[in-house]
């Protein structure tokens, strides 16, 4: 089946630094990818929709200047957490669906566990 | 009100039990419905899609009631390996998935 690869799987960084997370669709093209965040014992919350070749669409309450999204190709989207703070520590997951049909199963990356110290 | 609501549980059941999870959604324009399974510290994985006609996959049966905006998942003959969090997921055919909080199931020997 389709595979989405996310890297790194975990990262520890110091407060004030930036962290980049990559999401790749390995065997299909995706014009749209999605970034989610999950805090302990809570559901996945959609942060933003990453659109290939155009600006990302952010959900209400998500700071676009803090969570920079770049979708430069049909197989790669990146999320950069800028000036990270301890409260940004969370599980970040991306998802993508093959182009056709648009409502087909979403495939998830393995997730990135970010710890900001 | 949350877009997708689930009873978070936990549901603690013995092996072999039958357990049912329920979910309601608020957006009547929703088109696609799924149950995902998430193990601790892992990404969600699709368990099954949900159709109005109902669908069954082995020990798992999913049902959708569009009029009531209600989705259910029934697990028969529970196994220890069924212990996980079950996520009710709704989509409006844009690829954007809206997740419920998840229902935690713990199957005990």
């Amino acid at each position: 089946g389709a595979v989405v690869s996310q890297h790194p799987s975990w990262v520890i960084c110091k407060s004030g630094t930036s962290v980049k997370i990559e999401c790749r669709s390995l065997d299909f093209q995706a014009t749209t990818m999605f970034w989610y965040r999950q805090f302990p014992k809570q559901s996945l919350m959609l942060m933003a929709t990453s659109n290939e070749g155009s600006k990302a669409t952010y959900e209400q309450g998500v700071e676009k200047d803090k969570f920079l999204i770049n979708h430069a190709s049909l197989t790669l989207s990146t999320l950069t957490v800028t000036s990270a703070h301890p409260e940004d520590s969370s599980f970040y997951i991306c998802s993508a669906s093959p182009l056709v049909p648009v409502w087909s199963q979403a495939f998830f990356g393995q997730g990135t566990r970010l710890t900001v110290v | 009100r949350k877009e997708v609501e689930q009873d978070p549980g936990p549901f603690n059941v013995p092996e072999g039990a039958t357990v049912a999870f329920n979910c309601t959604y608020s957006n009547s324009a929703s088109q696609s419905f799924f149950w995902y399974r998430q193990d601790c510290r892992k990404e969600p994985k699709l368990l099954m899609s949900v159709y109005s006609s109902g669908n069954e996959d082995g020990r798992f049966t999913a049902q959708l009631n569009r009029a009531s905006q209600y989705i259910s998942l029934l697990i028969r003959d529970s196994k220890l390996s069924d212990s996980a969090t079950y996520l009710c997921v709704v989509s409006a055919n844009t690829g954007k998935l809206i997740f419920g909080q998840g229902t935690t199931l713990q199957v005990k020997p």
Side-chain angles (χ1 to χ4, degrees):
Chain A
V3 177
V4 173
S5 176
Q6 190 173 337
H7 177 81
S9 56
W10 61 271
V11 59
I12 301 174
C13 72
K14 292 183 178 180
S15 285
T17 61
S18 296
V19 174
K20 180 186 284 189
I21 303 170
E22 292 187 349
C23 180
R24 293 181 186 273
S25 56
L26 296 185
D27 54 1
F28 65 93
Q29 293 181 328
T31 55
T32 304
M33 293 185 178
F34 301 90
W35 287 96
Y36 296 83
R37 178 168 55 183
Q38 186 177 34
F39 291 106
K41 298 186 185 299
Q42 295 187 25
S43 184
L44 281 79
M45 296 299 296
L46 179 67
M47 298 176 66
T49 302
S50 173
N51 304 299
E52 187 266 336
S54 64
K55 291 182 180 179
T57 306
Y58 290 82
E59 296 299 302
Q60 191 174 10
V62 178
E63 300 174 56
K64 62 180 181 180
D65 294 330
K66 180 170 182 62
F67 299 99
L68 300 179
I69 291 174
N70 184 279
H71 195 152
S73 77
L74 286 171
T75 58
L76 174 64
S77 174
T78 60
L79 169 68
T80 301
V81 183
T82 62
S83 186
H85 291 284
E87 56 266 31
D88 298 324
S89 299
S90 186
F91 190 48
Y92 293 85
I93 310 179
C94 68
S95 78
S97 298
L99 285 173
V100 178
V102 68
W103 59 88
S104 66
Q105 175 188 348
F107 295 92
F108 287 86
Q110 303 92 321
T112 298
R113 192 159 300 280
L114 170 64
T115 302
V116 184
V117 298
Chain B
R1 182 188 172 189
K2 293 179 183 176
E3 287 191 66
V4 180
E5 296 214 49
Q6 291 181 253
D7 179 349
F11 284 59
N12 295 303
V13 303
E15 268 188 295
T18 295
V19 61
F21 303 140
N22 302 318
C23 167
T24 57
Y25 60 96
S26 61
N27 185 356
S28 59
S30 300
Q31 293 293 321
S32 303
F33 309 89
F34 310 92
W35 283 101
Y36 275 76
R37 170 189 171 136
Q38 186 176 25
D39 292 289
C40 188
R41 293 176 169 262
K42 300 281 189 179
E43 76 276 20
K45 294 190 175 175
L46 180 67
L47 180 65
M48 57 198 309
S49 300
V50 190
Y51 307 110
S52 297
S53 55
N55 50 306
E56 185 174 313
D57 182 3
R59 297 181 293 108
F60 299 84
T61 301
Q63 199 78 41
L64 165 66
N65 184 320
R66 285 187 182 269
S68 303
Q69 296 181 197
Y70 170 93
I71 306 162
S72 65
L73 176 68
L74 183 76
I75 304 176
R76 290 181 298 278
D77 188 24
S78 300
K79 310 290 184 191
L80 295 176
S81 56
D82 293 334
S83 298
T85 297
Y86 291 82
L87 302 167
C88 176
V89 184
V90 170
S91 172
N93 274 1
T94 59
K96 184 162 75 171
L97 302 178
I98 306 300
F99 286 81
Q101 182 181 359
T103 299
T104 300
L105 172 66
Q106 186 67 45
V107 181
K108 299 190 181 296

